[in-house]
Every structure is written in structure tokens, then in C-alpha cells.
Amino acid sequence: VKIMTIPLYNVVRFKFWMDPEFDRVLSEHSSIAQRICSVDASDDELNSVLHSAHILQTNSARDELPDKLIANEALLARCPQLLAVSVNGSGCDTVDIDACTRAGVMVLNQAGGNADSVAEMAIGLMLAVQRRIAESDRLLRSSERGFSREDLMGRELRGRTLGLVGMSEIGRRTAALGRAFGMRVLGSDPSLDAQEMERRGAELVTFDELLKQSDIVSLHCPRNAHTLNMMNADRFASMKRNAIFISTARSGIHDETALAQALASGHLGGAGLDVWEQEPPPATHPLLALPNVVATYHTAGVTQEARRNNAALAATQIVQLLTTAQRPVRLVNPDVWPRASARFAAL
């Protein structure tokens, strides 16, 4: 006699590309059922799926989701049984964390899963700007000639001072790569003391000191109320002349107009940007017209290895939560835990 197990929990995710590891991990647990919902689903279909959802697995990138699928108060009202919203990466731009906390819903991320990929991209952007790799590539592919190698002369990373804003996993790994290139590494992070900063491979300085001392400033902090528009015109003006600005963090932390002006005026020497207010940015964006800007399409964490790591982390964290009822390791809103665990116990 074959005994059929009825799933106890429903995991809902939207129909975007996801590494198969996510489905594989969930499929090993008969108590968990997964439903994949199209982003174009009708309201009736969406309501039906969300009404029975215990976990919502969603995207990290804001521009990839329609407004109606952002995990805000309106969406949460359609999910009476929801225990947690889990994002594909470390960023939570598609989730209203405060609204989730008020509703007793946990927010889970996959912090650290793409740390190596993002750290490598940050260093790659530094090299591309400092060594003028993209400029050389563009010139060689154009019909323009008459330039010399000295016209494309760049500078080495060795001996430069690298300032890292935010020293979580990505910042820590970027620091290690920076030191391998012979750079002095400074770090600014309000949650760390000097001893912990040193353990993560950087010298602790204030944010203002970091801007004044660094030849390269690289952002690795989350986007939140404290960091929104943090890099504005005044902050760019306080950076060293000819310094390089790098961001693989999130859009909105730096003011794109102010950055374009700081570059066009000659105060800053270049920028490497992986994140944009609008993704992809319009072809007419002022920053894309500047030869000393290296632009990428929010791909710092988009590698085969990172996507597989994040999928495995997300699925494993969901399984551990649903099968053990223990507090998740990557809980973004820890204050919600007492209420969320009580809701889980009642379920």
C-alpha cells in the first residue's frame, strides 16, 4: 500500500528564471508544495494562489516586478496565512520590511550567497576604470584612429587606498582582493568596532575620513533610510580629486545627477557602476556619455555560481523553517520573531 503524504505548506514563487537547485531542494520534502505564478496572472488567479501561501519567494530587483507584486501592505492583505517573504538575493527592494513586521511576517534574504561574485565585479570595475580597458575597447572597435598607447595610459591598483563603505560579507571579500592587489584598505561601517573591522581586513575610519583619504571609494552597504542619497553632491565634492567611485550596491544610494556633474567637471577621475535608478538605464543617460564611466547592468551578482548558491540558500532556509520552526539564520527583521513564531505554532 502506497501512503500519499498531503503537503502541509505552500511555497509560492513568481515565474522568473531560478536555478533548478531551488526546486530540487524543495522537492525532497513531501510536506512542502510549490506553486509557480505568472507575473501576468489575473487577479482571481493571483488571489487564489496567494490566499494559501505560507512562503512567498520573490525577486530582489525592483524593476523586474510589477507594482502589484511588491510585498507591501496591499499584497500582504491577500496572504492571510503568509509566514515569510524570501528574496532571491541579499537586497530587499521588492519588500516593505516595516509592513511585513507589522503583519507578523518574516523577511528572509540570502546574504553572502553572491559575495564572491559581487566582490570580483567590484575589483573588475576598478581595473576597468583605472586601466581604461573599456575606453581602449571602444576606440579599437570604432573607425577612429590616430591615438597612441599613451593616450590610454592608466594607473595601477597597487599602492592605492581603497575605501569600502559597508563591511559585511561582500565588503570583507572585496577587502581581501584589494589587499591581494597591494592596496591599503579602509572601512566604514557603523555596526563594527575597530577590532572587528581589522578582523575583516580593513582599517576602521569614519565615513567622512574614508571619502577624504581614498583613491577609490566602493559601496557595499544596503539601501535603507540611512543610506538613501548618501552619496550626494557634497559627498562627491569631499572625495579626493581624481578619485574613482564604484557601486555594486543598490541604486538610490548615490545621486546619479550629482555623480555625472562631479565627473564632467573633472573633480572625479572615473566611475564603475553596476546599479541604476532605472534598470537598464536609458541610452541617453548622461553617465553613459562619459568615456571614464564603465557601466554594467546590475550583473555583479549574476554568475552561475552565485545564482546556484542563492537558490540553494533560499530553499534550504525555507525547509529548515518549515520543518524545525527554528529562527532563520538570515532573518532581516528579527523583531518580528516572537510574533511570527507564535503564528507558526498556531498554524
Side-chain angles (χ1 to χ4, degrees):
V1 177
K2 184 176 182 180
I3 300 175
M4 301 297 291
T5 302
I6 300 175
L8 300 176
Y9 305 108
N10 295 312
V11 175
V12 172
R13 70 176 175 89
F14 300 121
K15 192 174 183 179
F16 285 100
W17 189 91
M18 190 83 170
D19 189 277
E21 187 68 5
F22 183 84
D23 297 343
R24 187 195 67 77
V25 172
L26 290 189
S27 69
E28 293 181 345
H29 298 269
S30 57
S31 62
I32 300 173
Q34 181 181 188
R35 295 189 66 179
I36 301 175
C37 183
S38 170
V39 295
D40 299 321
S42 67
D43 281 347
D44 287 343
E45 181 183 352
L46 190 60
N47 283 335
S48 174
V49 172
L50 293 178
H51 189 270
S52 61
H54 298 110
I55 306 290
L56 176 63
Q57 182 68 34
T58 191
N59 286 32
S60 295
R62 176 65 176 78
D63 286 352
E64 292 182 353
L65 280 180
D67 288 342
K68 69 176 183 178
L69 298 184
I70 299 300
N72 53 23
E73 190 171 352
L75 186 76
L76 294 173
R78 306 164 82 172
C79 310
Q81 301 186 73
L82 194 66
L83 298 170
V85 177
S86 171
V87 294
N88 293 346
S90 57
C92 298
D93 296 354
T94 58
V95 181
D96 184 334
I97 298 173
D98 290 337
C100 287
T101 301
R102 289 193 299 270
V105 174
M106 292 171 275
V107 179
L108 314 177
N109 72 1
Q110 318 316 322
N114 62 5
D116 284 325
S117 293
V118 179
E120 288 179 6
M121 176 68 95
I123 295 294
L125 289 171
M126 295 174 204
L127 286 167
V129 176
Q130 285 279 89
R131 298 301 306 272
R132 303 175 69 177
I133 295 171
E135 285 184 74
S136 181
D137 180 80
R138 284 194 296 266
L139 280 172
L140 289 177
R141 294 173 187 273
S142 72
S143 59
E144 183 178 346
R145 288 296 180 269
F147 55 87
S148 68
R149 290 186 298 164
E150 287 70 28
D151 291 329
L152 293 165
M153 189 180 299
R155 306 195 71 169
E156 296 178 356
L157 293 184
R158 178 173 294 278
R160 304 288 154 206
T161 297
L162 170 61
L164 302 177
V165 182
M167 283 294 291
S168 58
E169 280 302 302
I170 295 172
R172 182 178 67 81
R173 298 187 197 194
T174 306
L177 294 175
R179 294 196 313 276
F181 275 93
M183 304 176 78
R184 176 193 178 199
V185 182
L186 307 179
S188 173
D189 192 315
S191 66
L192 304 179
D193 59 22
Q195 183 177 2
E196 180 60 22
M197 183 66 77
E198 182 179 3
R199 192 182 73 81
R200 299 189 185 197
E203 305 170 36
L204 178 66
V205 294
T206 67
F207 180 49
D208 290 338
E209 290 172 339
L210 183 145
L211 296 180
K212 292 176 182 178
Q213 295 185 40
S214 300
D215 299 299
I216 302 172
V217 172
S218 186
L219 300 188
H220 301 284
C221 53
R223 170 177 167 158
N224 55 38
H226 301 292
T227 62
L228 197 62
N229 204 37
M230 180 174 68
M231 290 302 301
N232 53 30
D234 289 341
R235 293 281 171 55
F236 286 125
S238 70
M239 289 174 61
K240 293 174 67 172
R241 187 168 185 83
N242 292 321
I244 303 299
F245 176 73
I246 304 292
S247 184
T248 54
R250 279 293 186 272
S251 65
I253 300 176
H254 69 272
D255 183 323
E256 292 181 351
T257 300
L259 175 59
Q261 292 171 348
L263 291 163
S265 70
H267 177 68
L268 294 185
L273 305 173
D274 187 55
V275 292
W276 304 83
E277 284 287 356
Q278 177 184 333
E279 295 181 343
T284 56
H285 197 296
L287 285 167
L288 296 180
L290 298 174
N292 55 347
V293 171
V294 177
T296 52
Y297 177 24
H298 204 157
T299 54
V302 184
T303 61
Q304 293 181 22
E305 295 83 0
R307 285 295 175 91
R308 174 165 283 260
N309 287 343
N310 280 350
L313 285 173
T316 301
Q317 186 163 230
I318 289 170
V319 168
Q320 289 175 342
L321 171 63
L322 296 179
T323 58
T324 69
Q326 294 182 359
R327 174 174 163 164
V329 174
R330 295 174 176 82
L331 180 60
V332 176
N333 54 342
D335 291 344
V336 81
W337 177 244
R339 184 179 173 195
S341 59
R343 292 182 66 236
F344 190 15
L347 177 70

